[in-house]
Amino acid sequence: MSANWRPATLSDKDTPGGGPPGRDGEAGVLTRTRTRTQRPPLYKVLMLNDDYTPMEFVVHVLERFFGMSHAQAFHLMLTVHKKGVAVVGVFSFEVAETKVAQVMDFARRHQHPLQCTMEKE
Ligand code: TYC
């Protein structure tokens, strides 16, 4: 390794080795690192229709666990009822997982078959 070796910086532009090119035959390894941050993946939480869970229970779930107004919750419940499934929110993996667990537990404790799942966006 040459005596004046130093890591490449942005000011080194494309000069290999971070100094004047190749006086002593440096390999010319570019060490600039990528600094762009990756956004975390997002997950859709889906509510599924069934024939038994009362409409008012689903409205309550959407208000309680997804922070919706009564009007928003009622409208989305009707969408699930008519179409079979709807996205009720988009979250990080951990938040989506928690919402699904809360809904499933709440439904089970009230003996309703309501199903809630998540999938990567
Ligand atoms: N289909 C149910 C009924 O008629 C209501 C319902 C709506 C159930 C949405 C689940 O995710 C659901 N009582």
Side-chain angles (χ1 to χ4, degrees):
M1 185 187 299
S2 82
N4 64 0
W5 182 89
R6 62 198 164 86
T9 64
L10 286 175
S11 64
D12 290 325
K13 298 279 188 303
D14 290 320
T15 307
R23 255 207 318 271
D24 52 359
E26 289 160 297
V29 176
L30 293 171
T31 56
R32 243 183 303 172
T33 48
R34 178 183 159 82
T35 54
R36 207 172 305 168
T37 42
Q38 299 261 1
R39 282 177 307 181
L42 292 174
Y43 291 79
K44 297 182 284 196
V45 171
L46 308 161
M47 198 74 88
L48 278 61
N49 187 40
D50 67 72
D51 292 339
Y52 306 103
T53 303
M55 289 184 173
E56 270 313 316
F57 184 82
V58 179
V59 172
H60 179 71
V61 163
L62 294 174
E63 291 172 339
R64 179 172 177 143
F65 298 112
F66 297 92
M68 294 180 199
S69 69
H70 189 77
Q72 281 177 318
F74 192 84
H75 183 258
L76 196 47
M77 178 281 295
L78 276 187
T79 301
V80 179
H81 176 71
K82 286 189 245 177
K83 303 207 176 218
V85 62
V87 175
V88 299
V90 178
F91 308 98
S92 69
F93 181 86
E94 289 81 1
V95 173
E97 202 181 34
T98 301
K99 301 271 183 205
V100 169
Q102 286 173 328
V103 171
M104 295 296 281
D105 185 59
F106 192 64
R108 187 191 50 76
R109 285 192 282 120
H110 288 82
Q111 299 186 291
H112 295 310
L114 181 64
Q115 294 293 305
C116 184
T117 60
M118 62 191 271
E119 65 178 43
K120 200 168 179 180
E121 209 180 38

